[in-house]
Amino acid sequence: MLLSTDYVPAAIERELERCWGCRVLTHYGMTETGLGGGVECAAGEGYHLRETDLYTEIIDPVSGLLLPDGEEGEVVFTTLSRKGMPLVRYRTGDRARLITTPCSCGTVLKRLGRVQGRIETEVHLKDCQRLRMSDLDEALFPIPGVLDFIAQVDSQGGRDQFRLCIHAVPGGEERVARRTLSALLHGAVTGTLFKEKVLYLENIAFSNTGWMGNGVVKRQIQDRRVSDTVQLLHCSSG
Ligand SMILES: [Zn+2]
């Protein structure tokens, strides 16, 4: 199975492999790169980039400066062979890193590591720590019974609060809630953030009826702190 998208959670890949009894490989590309960008080989360790057509760089998303190979930043493409609509240092908004070690398949092509989602959808919590939908996906999708979820950050009493609404297989919601809390507390990235007590069991809700996906719109953490502030300013200005 070949999945073509900018980001697929590893847990979803493993589940697809289990359900379909086949190998899942992923392809990374976008309309702007001429659809193709890079594809995984059988080693499954990063996308082998189409280097004859695309020059790939990783930059610091804030300063715009080039980062050394191996450091994570924003993926930037320059098209090398495009005659119509050539792109020079096109910022994709995707976060990833170049893998510096050779691939076991022996190719000389550069490898781009797994895309970690879109930079603009990252939510910044206290101490400049950032939370990404991909971190939540990797922590929650391996939990049996979890089908989808909506994540939201708001502010209560000056503290960031995190809320989850989980679409789960009916029955066993309490078990799913406890496993969710445990997965986030012990997750590689989320552990540091969630030990600050931003998520409580009572902040985990369930919805099993009329669950609507958001179609082609990318899933992202809803940051209500911004809209709350805007609302407050609007109210105070009369
Ligand atoms: Zn390879």
Side-chain angles (χ1 to χ4, degrees):
M1 184 182 290
L2 181 67
L3 301 181
S4 183
T5 181
D6 49 359
Y7 156 71
V8 187
I12 298 285
E13 271 187 53
R14 285 193 297 270
E15 184 65 4
L16 285 170
E17 287 183 335
R18 190 188 67 77
C19 293
W20 289 82
C22 70
R23 182 78 196 277
V24 169
L25 296 168
T26 56
H27 165 271
Y28 171 70
M30 57 191 72
T31 313
E32 297 93 316
T33 60
L35 300 176
V39 69
E40 276 183 316
C41 70
E45 294 163 357
Y47 312 104
H48 292 311
L49 293 166
R50 233 178 69 215
E51 283 194 89
T52 49
D53 299 308
L54 299 167
Y55 183 69
T56 310
E57 297 170 282
I58 304 292
I59 64 164
D60 181 313
V62 178
S63 68
L65 296 174
L66 186 67
L67 289 173
D69 284 359
E71 279 193 31
E72 200 179 86
E74 184 173 356
V75 182
V76 172
F77 283 115
T78 297
T79 57
L80 302 176
S81 53
R82 180 89 58 86
K83 287 180 182 166
M85 204 179 82
L87 297 171
V88 178
R89 304 199 83 199
Y90 177 77
R91 296 180 66 157
T92 62
D94 289 335
R95 185 183 286 280
R97 68 183 184 94
L98 289 169
I99 300 172
T100 51
T101 51
C103 183
S104 56
C105 73
T107 183
V108 294
L109 293 171
K110 265 188 183 174
R111 271 189 302 161
L112 186 72
R114 179 177 288 271
V115 171
Q116 301 294 331
R118 296 193 64 79
I119 291 165
E120 64 180 8
T121 63
E122 293 170 353
V123 168
H124 292 264
L125 300 174
K126 55 186 290 189
D127 302 329
C128 298
Q129 295 189 83
R130 59 171 189 257
L131 183 63
R132 305 179 290 204
M133 199 64 182
S134 56
D135 301 326
L136 298 174
D137 285 347
E138 301 300 354
L140 301 191
F141 279 129
I143 299 170
V146 172
L147 300 174
D148 198 0
F149 62 89
I150 293 169
Q152 195 182 84
V153 178
D154 61 20
S155 185
Q156 212 165 55
R159 283 176 65 98
D160 288 341
Q161 287 243 340
F162 185 76
R163 296 175 197 280
L164 277 175
C165 181
I166 301 176
H167 179 33
V169 175
E173 280 87 349
E174 194 183 322
R175 181 185 51 80
V176 169
R178 291 191 183 281
R179 287 196 66 169
T180 295
L181 201 55
S182 166
L184 291 173
L185 279 171
H186 299 110
V189 181
T190 52
T192 336
L193 285 169
F194 284 80
K195 75 168 187 258
E196 301 283 340
K197 291 205 183 308
V198 291
L199 178 69
Y200 301 88
L201 265 185
E202 56 265 32
N203 289 357
I204 303 177
F206 287 88
S207 173
N208 290 324
T209 50
W211 185 272
M212 298 283 284
N214 48 3
V216 294
V217 178
K218 292 183 196 304
R219 296 163 63 251
Q220 67 180 80
I221 300 168
Q222 298 171 3
D223 193 348
R224 299 295 291 266
R225 297 170 301 179
V226 182
S227 56
D228 288 352
T229 311
V230 171
Q231 215 164 29
L232 201 67
L233 285 172
H234 183 70
C235 290
S236 60
S237 68

